[in-house]
């Protein structure tokens, strides 16, 4: 995997460290050809935030609280309503783009997109062979990334060294085996083990179900036995219910005949009942019409009285409005007179406004010139810092070249001391061959020293020239402050004049308003507060009185007409015969309903007796079938118990303590050898390590375990890495982690061409830190890696890098440009 570019938007670490909302890094341009790339900057500049996002996985490993899902959340590390991580990377010749959008506006939501660069140069969503397409969902994105790059645990354990990462020696037995199984590609075996365990669990669940089924069969058998025993008296019960049904049938026929006679009598009286109902309906209609007419008269009366009330209110309101209008006009005259009193000052400000604006423009031009000088001074200071860093880099490179030249000279000096020189063995002597090779490299090393000396002299001359330019602009800050103060004074004076001059139009409007208010006061007729009544109001009051009198007359006439109609209808109702008594029909129907209910109950009793007889026959048949099912279920439970034992054994064989443990034992010597090669190349021959996957108990038996044993050649002792000092543990742990990465690079299906590490050298002394940098290059050489990005606070280690990403420079670029000043002084006229 190679990194091409990274854009972070809305991350707290970048905002707090650099003061930027968005940070973009072009790795392809700034790190082209570099093997070791250092990310440097002061504490809190956001180095770990940058490194934690230089991978496509949805995690920031140094901020992860716990392993697994839920151990990390982007929402704690972003602050904008919409935040974004945009990473462009390449893998196996293909270019990909990871775009993660974290939204905080409203409901929190994360969208993750994975694109692939097509041959036509367009980004398209990644599609896997199984049909999975990166559609913006986090689950789909994670599945696509792990299919392309492998599991996140493997990546962060072997390739990515996050800050605060656990040492391999701190892992428990089960954890290290699970981790090594992932690293060694034993996921297929573990999947088989999990499937076997799941099968055993399912068989166990099935066995429980079968046993529960047997228990249920036993309970069912007891129930059927009770049913057979309880149905012994069913034949006698059938005879009793048949006799009851015959008696209920006779009673029902008599009740139906009585009901038919009552219905015939009711039909004979139906005509008189219809006439009576019609007359009562007419009587009710007359009363309803009378009520409706009375309500209409009441409504008309309320309407007329409301008109009378509104007439009084309107007269009072007209008097109040006249008083308010007169008071408002007096207030307008007072305001206009107060505003016209300020007219001389406003006229004077309007005349002085052009002069104030010309002075403001002159002082703004002076401030701009001063700021240009300040920018030139700041550029000179930045150039001095860059040139100083360049001198330090040349000195570090010269030191390394000098050490290499000394080493070559020492190796060439061995040519005279090798005893096999001049003998037939000199063709096979490795020391003599190394000395001759050093002789060929000595001129190039001396040329490098001379080139570095020339470069240092050129840079020092450039430093002197830039320092001279900076000293010429030393007083720029004082001039900027004075120009800024004068500009503010001119701006305030011009603002006051503009504010007063804008009120000229307001003066003309005030004169017009004063004249209008005087005209309205002159035209306003006085209103008598006690109030006489206008002719229109008097005419309306008289109309309302006539309407109320007419309403009272109509109410009397309607009352007399209603009484006459009701008396006529009551006389006709008195001539009709008495109505049919519905109680007789109701009693007959109730008797019929009781007979029907008794007959239905007798029928249900007969059906229930017949059902019980059928249930007795069915229960006896079910007893025979149940016994056969119970025998088969018992045999099936025995077969499940046997199969479950086989699957449990297979799951254990495919677990961490089975075939996976054997694979780890096979990989242990290879990992130890790679770690020892790194220790020898970078630290020397003092330490060698071995990986133990079994330990001996007090009884002399072997049990599964994991430990890293370190052999010290100086003391001759062997002890666990947990008992070593902090710096030695860091050294050995980094060698082991990089050995795992080398092992994966040699045997794994995927190749990661980029390594990452975050401040892993904190516990090392200065000499060991240089050796630590040498180990990094050895890892790149042995594993065929292209590049390593690392964070270090050690200048010696950062100086050994081929390229540097300096966050301090990004911090300086993000600050607002200081004011610059010119040398000239612009004369100005003071405004009186």
């Amino acid at each position: 995997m190679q990194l091409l570019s990274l854009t972070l938007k809305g991350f707290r670490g970048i905002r707090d460290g650099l003061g930027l909302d968005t940070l973009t890094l072009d790795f392809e341009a700034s790190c082209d050809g570099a093997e070791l790339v250092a990310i440097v900057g002061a504490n809190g500049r956001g180095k770990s935030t940058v490194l934690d996002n230089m991978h496509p996985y949805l995690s920031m490993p140094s901020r992860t609280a716990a392993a697994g899902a839920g151990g990390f959340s982007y929402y704690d590390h972003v602050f904008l309503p919409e935040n974004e991580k945009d990473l462009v990377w390449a893998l196996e010749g293909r270019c990909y783009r990871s775009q993660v959008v974290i939204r905080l506006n409203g409901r929190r939501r994360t969208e993750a997109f994975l694109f692939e660069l097509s041959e036509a140069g367009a980004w398209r969503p990644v599609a896997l062979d199984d049909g999975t397409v990166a559609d913006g969902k986090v689950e789909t994105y994670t599945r696509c990334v792990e299919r392309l790059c492998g599991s996140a645990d493997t990546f962060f354990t072997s390739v990515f060294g996050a800050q605060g990462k656990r040492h391999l020696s701190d892992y428990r037995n089960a954890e290290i085996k699970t981790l090594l199984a992932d690293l060694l590609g034993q996921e297929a075996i573990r999947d088989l083990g999990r499937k076997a365990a799941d099968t055993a669990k399912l068989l166990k669940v099935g066995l429980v179900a079968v046993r529960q089924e047997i228990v249920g069969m036993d309970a069912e058998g007891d129930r059927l036995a009770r049913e057979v025993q309880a149905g012994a008296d069913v034949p006698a019960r059938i005879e009793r219910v048949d006799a009851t049904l015959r008696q209920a049938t006779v009673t029902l026929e008599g009740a139906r005949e009585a009901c038919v006679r009552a219905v015939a009598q009711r039909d004979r009286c139906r005509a008189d009942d219809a006439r009576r109902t019609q007359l009562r309906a007419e009587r009710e209609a007359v009363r309803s019409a009378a009520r409706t007419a009375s309500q209409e008269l009441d409504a008309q009366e309320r309407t007329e009285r409301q008109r009378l009330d509104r007439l009084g209110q309107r007269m009072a309101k007209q008097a109040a409005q006249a008083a308010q209008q007169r008071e408002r006009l007096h207030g307008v005259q007072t305001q206009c007179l107060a505003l016209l009193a300020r007219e001389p000052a406003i006229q004077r400000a309007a005349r002085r406004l052009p002069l104030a604006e010309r002075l403001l423009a002159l002082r703004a031009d002076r401030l701009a010139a001063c700021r240009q000088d300040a920018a030139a001074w700041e550029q000179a200071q930045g150039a001095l810092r860059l040139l100083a860093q360049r001198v330090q880099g040349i000195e570090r490179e010269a030191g390394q070249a000098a050490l290499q030249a000394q080493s070559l000279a020492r190796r060439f000096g061995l040519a005279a001391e090798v005893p096999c020189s001049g003998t037939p063995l000199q063709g096979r002597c490795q020391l003599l061959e190394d000395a001759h090779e050093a002789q060929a490299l000595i001129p190039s090393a001396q040329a490098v020293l001379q080139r570095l000396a020339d470069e240092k002299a050129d840079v020092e001359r450039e430093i002197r020239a830039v320092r001279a330019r900076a000293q010429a602009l030393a007083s720029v800050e004082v001039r900027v402050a004075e120009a800024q103060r004068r500009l503010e004074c001119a701006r305030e004076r011009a603002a006051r004049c503009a504010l007063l001059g804008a009120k000229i139009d307001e003066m003309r409007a005030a004169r017009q308003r004063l004249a209008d208010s005087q005209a309205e006061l002159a035209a306003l007729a006085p209103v008598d507060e006690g109030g006489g009544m206008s002719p229109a109001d008097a005419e309306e009051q008289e109309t309302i009185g006539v309407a109320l009198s007419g309403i009272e007359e109509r109410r009397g006439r309607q009352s007399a007409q209603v009484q006459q109609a009701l008396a006529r209808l009551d006389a006709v109702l008195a001539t009709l015969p008495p109505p049919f008594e519905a109680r007789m029909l109701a009693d007959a129907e109730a008797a019929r309903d009781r007979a029907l209910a008794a007959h239905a109950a007798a029928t249900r009793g007969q059906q229930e007796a017949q059902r019980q007889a059928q249930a007795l026959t069915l229960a006896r048949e079910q007893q025979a079938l149940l016994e056969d099912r119970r025998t088969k279920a018992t045999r099936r439970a025995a077969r499940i118990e046997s199969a479950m034992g086989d699957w449990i054994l297979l799951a254990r064989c495919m677990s961490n303590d089975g075939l996976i443990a054997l694979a780890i034992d096979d990989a242990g010597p290879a990992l130890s050898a790679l770690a020892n090669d790194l220790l020898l190349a970078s630290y020397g021959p003092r330490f060698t390590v071995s990986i133990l996957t079994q330990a001996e108990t007090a009884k002399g038996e072997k049990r599964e375990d994991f430990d890293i044993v370190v052999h010290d050649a100086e003391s001759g002792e062997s002890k666990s890495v947990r008992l070593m000092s902090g710096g030695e543990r860091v050294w050995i742990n980094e060698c082991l982690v990089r050995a795992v990465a080398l092992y994966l690079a040699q045997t794994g299906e995927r190749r990661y061409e980029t390594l990452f590490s975050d401040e892993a050298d904190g516990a090392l002394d200065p000499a060991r830190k240089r050796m630590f940098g040498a180990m990094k290059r050895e890892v790149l050489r042995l594993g065929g890696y292209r590049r390593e990005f690392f964070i270090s606070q050690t200048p010696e280690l950062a100086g050994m890098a081929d390229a540097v990403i300096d966050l301090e420079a990004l911090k300086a670029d993000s600050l607002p440009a200081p004011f610059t000043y010119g040398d000239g002084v612009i004369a100005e006229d003071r405004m009186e």
Side-chain angles (χ1 to χ4, degrees):
M1 182 173 61
Q2 306 172 33
L3 302 182
L4 302 180
S5 67
L6 172 64
T7 299
L8 299 177
K9 176 185 177 183
F11 280 76
R12 294 182 183 274
I14 302 303
R15 181 197 63 182
D16 298 341
L18 302 177
L20 298 175
D21 290 346
T22 303
L23 173 65
T24 300
L25 298 176
D26 188 352
F27 302 112
E28 189 175 15
S30 61
C31 306
D32 187 20
E35 292 184 349
L36 290 180
V37 180
I39 302 176
V40 300
N43 290 331
R45 284 288 181 259
K47 301 186 296 298
S48 295
T49 301
V50 172
L51 191 69
D52 281 349
N53 286 282
M54 291 169 62
H55 58 81
Y57 296 95
L58 296 178
S59 176
M60 295 173 63
S62 65
R63 305 292 195 272
T64 303
F72 172 76
S73 172
Y74 275 115
Y75 303 118
D76 300 330
H77 305 283
V78 295
F79 64 93
L80 292 178
E82 181 174 309
N83 311 273
E84 183 178 352
K85 168 188 172 181
D86 194 332
L87 176 67
V88 181
W89 48 284
L91 181 67
E92 297 179 354
R94 295 184 178 182
C95 187
Y96 299 94
R97 180 182 180 185
S98 297
Q99 190 174 19
V100 183
V101 181
I102 308 103
R103 305 183 191 279
L104 298 179
N105 47 353
R107 189 169 68 90
R108 291 182 173 183
R109 185 177 60 176
T110 299
E111 297 176 350
F113 302 90
L114 183 61
F115 302 99
E116 180 182 1
L117 188 63
S118 64
E119 295 180 356
W123 292 106
R124 61 186 182 187
V126 171
L128 302 181
D129 297 336
D130 60 359
T132 303
V133 179
D135 55 359
K137 297 180 180 179
V138 173
E139 297 79 5
T140 307
Y141 176 86
T142 302
R143 193 180 309 122
C144 293
V145 170
E146 292 191 350
R147 179 67 64 86
L148 295 174
C149 304
S151 68
D153 292 337
T154 301
F155 181 82
F156 290 121
T157 301
S158 60
V159 177
F160 199 104
Q163 189 175 20
K165 174 183 175 182
R166 291 175 63 188
H167 290 182
L168 290 178
S169 59
D170 296 334
Y171 283 79
R172 293 189 294 273
N173 180 31
E175 293 178 324
I176 196 63
K177 285 187 176 180
T178 302
L179 178 61
L180 291 178
D182 291 337
L183 297 179
L184 299 176
Q186 301 296 318
E187 186 63 28
I189 295 178
R190 188 157 49 191
D191 287 342
L192 290 176
R194 282 196 293 265
K195 291 178 181 178
D198 294 340
T199 303
K201 291 179 181 178
L202 293 175
L203 288 173
K204 185 176 181 180
V205 173
L207 179 60
V208 172
V210 171
R211 288 176 176 172
Q212 290 177 350
E213 184 180 358
I214 293 174
V215 173
M217 290 179 185
D218 294 338
E220 182 69 13
D222 295 340
R223 184 186 64 80
L224 292 175
R226 289 193 298 271
E227 287 183 1
V228 171
Q229 184 178 2
D233 61 340
V234 169
R237 193 180 308 164
I238 291 176
E239 294 179 358
R240 290 194 299 271
V241 298
D242 287 343
T244 304
L245 180 61
R246 288 192 295 271
Q247 181 63 36
T249 302
V250 174
T251 304
L252 178 61
E253 290 298 331
R256 285 176 175 172
E257 292 178 358
C259 186
V260 169
R261 291 192 296 270
V263 169
Q265 184 179 0
R266 184 196 61 186
D267 292 339
R268 288 193 298 271
C269 298
R270 183 168 294 172
D272 295 335
D273 292 341
R275 178 59 177 167
R276 185 180 291 106
T277 303
Q278 180 184 1
L279 293 173
R280 289 176 178 173
E282 291 179 1
R283 191 176 189 278
E284 184 61 29
V286 170
R287 293 173 61 85
S288 178
R291 285 195 298 270
T292 302
S294 178
Q295 291 174 358
E296 291 177 355
L297 292 175
D298 292 341
Q300 291 178 5
E301 184 178 3
R302 285 195 300 272
T303 300
E304 296 300 328
R305 295 193 181 279
Q306 289 174 0
R307 286 178 60 193
L308 185 61
D309 294 339
R310 286 196 297 271
L311 176 61
Q313 293 174 0
R314 186 168 62 249
M315 294 171 61
K317 185 177 180 181
Q318 288 175 355
Q321 287 178 350
Q324 291 177 358
Q325 180 70 5
R326 189 179 294 104
E327 183 179 356
R328 182 183 65 81
L329 292 174
H330 285 304
V332 169
Q333 288 182 352
T334 302
Q335 292 177 358
C336 293
L337 292 174
L339 188 60
L340 291 174
R342 300 178 57 191
E343 186 173 7
I346 293 173
Q347 294 290 343
R348 182 173 176 272
R351 291 192 302 271
R352 294 172 58 86
L353 179 60
L355 181 61
E357 290 177 346
R358 288 197 300 274
L359 179 60
L360 178 62
L362 291 174
R363 290 185 175 179
D365 293 340
R366 173 185 290 179
L367 180 60
C370 293
R371 285 179 175 173
Q372 291 177 359
D373 291 343
W377 180 80
E378 183 64 24
Q379 291 176 358
Q381 294 296 325
L384 285 175
R385 288 194 296 271
L386 292 177
L387 291 173
Q389 292 178 0
R390 187 176 174 187
V391 169
Q392 293 177 359
I394 293 173
E395 290 177 350
R396 287 194 295 269
E397 189 175 355
Q400 295 176 2
L403 291 175
Q404 186 178 5
Q406 293 175 3
S407 177
L408 293 173
R410 179 180 57 78
R411 288 164 55 190
F412 175 67
L414 295 176
E417 299 177 5
V418 174
C420 62
S421 179
T423 65
L425 296 177
Q426 67 179 0
R428 293 179 293 172
C429 180
Q430 296 294 331
L431 293 177
L432 189 59
E433 182 181 356
D434 188 29
H436 291 162
E437 182 180 355
Q439 182 182 8
L441 295 176
I442 287 176
S444 62
Q446 292 176 350
V448 169
L449 288 174
Q450 182 61 37
R451 177 180 59 80
L452 293 175
D454 295 340
E455 288 183 3
K456 182 179 179 182
D458 294 340
V459 172
E460 289 178 347
R461 285 193 297 271
E462 188 175 353
I463 288 174
R464 289 192 293 271
V466 173
R467 187 177 288 116
R469 291 200 305 272
Q471 289 176 355
L473 300 172
S475 62
V476 68
E477 294 183 358
V478 177
R479 295 199 303 274
V480 164
E482 180 62 21
Q484 182 69 33
R485 186 187 63 79
R486 291 175 176 271
L487 178 63
E488 292 298 330
C489 292
R491 184 179 290 115
E492 291 178 0
R493 188 180 297 114
R496 288 195 302 270
C497 292
L499 182 62
L500 291 175
K503 294 183 178 182
I504 293 178
D505 295 336
E506 189 175 351
M507 295 295 105
R508 289 194 291 269
R511 293 193 193 92
Q512 183 63 36
R513 287 172 58 196
L514 181 61
D516 293 343
S517 62
Q518 290 174 351
E520 288 184 17
L521 281 174
L524 188 63
V527 179
D528 188 4
E529 295 182 359
M533 185 181 300
S534 65
D537 292 339
E539 182 180 358
E540 183 177 0
Q541 187 176 19
E542 184 179 357
T543 303
I544 293 172
V546 173
L548 289 174
S549 300
I551 290 171
E552 289 297 328
E553 292 178 0
R554 289 199 301 274
R555 183 178 286 113
R557 290 196 300 271
Q558 287 178 358
S559 176
Q561 292 174 0
V562 168
Q563 294 298 328
Q564 292 176 1
L566 290 177
R568 180 179 57 79
L569 292 174
D570 290 340
V572 176
L573 282 172
T575 61
L576 294 176
F580 171 76
E581 298 214 3
R583 185 174 58 80
M584 296 174 58
L585 180 59
D587 292 343
E589 289 178 347
R592 183 196 59 189
D593 293 341
R594 288 193 296 272
L596 282 172
H599 185 271
T603 302
R604 288 195 299 271
Q606 184 186 37
Q607 293 174 353
E608 179 65 21
Q610 293 174 355
R611 188 192 62 77
Q612 290 177 354
Q614 294 174 357
L616 178 61
T617 303
L618 182 61
R620 288 172 179 169
E621 294 175 355
Q622 288 178 350
Q623 275 185 325
L625 294 175
L626 186 63
E627 185 61 28
D628 183 57
R629 286 176 54 206
R630 191 181 186 285
T631 303
K632 293 180 180 179
T634 303
R635 289 198 296 268
R636 188 165 66 254
R639 290 197 303 271
I640 292 175
E641 289 177 353
S642 176
M644 187 171 64
D646 296 339
W647 284 106
I648 290 174
L649 179 60
L650 178 61
R652 185 165 184 178
C653 292
M654 296 296 177
S655 66
N656 288 343
D657 296 333
L659 292 178
I660 294 177
L662 295 177
I664 294 173
D665 291 342
D666 292 340
L671 291 174
S672 301
L674 290 172
N676 290 331
D677 290 344
L678 292 177
L679 284 171
L680 180 62
S682 57
Y683 195 87
R686 177 180 177 183
F687 293 125
T688 56
V689 299
S690 60
I691 299 175
L692 300 181
T693 58
Q694 290 185 338
E696 186 173 348
T697 64
K699 298 180 179 179
E701 300 175 352
K702 294 289 185 179
R703 65 176 178 84
E704 294 295 330
D705 196 7
F706 180 83
D707 195 9
I708 301 171
V709 178
V710 182
H711 307 280
D712 191 344
E714 292 184 1
S715 63
E717 294 181 354
S718 298
K719 56 184 176 181
S720 173
V721 71
R722 300 185 184 94
L723 304 178
M724 304 191 70
S725 67
E728 293 173 341
R729 286 184 65 186
V730 169
W731 193 274
I732 293 171
N733 180 75
E734 289 301 313
C735 288
L736 283 170
V737 170
R738 292 315 183 197
V740 171
L742 293 175
Y743 184 83
L744 289 178
Q746 296 171 2
T747 62
E749 298 179 356
R750 297 180 178 85
R751 284 189 56 81
Y752 301 104
E753 295 190 3
T754 306
L755 301 177
F756 307 86
S757 61
D758 188 353
E759 298 190 13
D761 59 325
L764 303 178
D765 56 52
R768 295 290 186 268
K769 289 182 178 180
R770 288 186 175 274
M771 297 168 66
F772 193 70
M775 184 196 73
K776 292 181 179 293
R777 292 195 182 274
E778 185 68 12
V779 170
L780 296 177
R781 184 184 67 81
L782 293 176
Y785 294 102
R786 175 173 295 186
R787 183 173 298 139
E788 178 177 355
F789 292 93
F790 68 92
I791 294 176
S792 176
Q793 296 289 355
T794 306
E796 294 84 359
L797 189 56
M800 297 176 67
D802 302 320
V804 176
I805 299 176
D806 190 356
L807 297 187
E808 291 294 337
L810 294 176
K811 173 68 175 178
D813 294 340
S814 67
L815 293 175
F819 296 124
T820 57
Y821 298 81
D823 293 332
V825 178
I826 301 176
E828 61 180 9
D829 297 329
R830 184 175 301 276
M831 296 181 60
E832 296 297 329

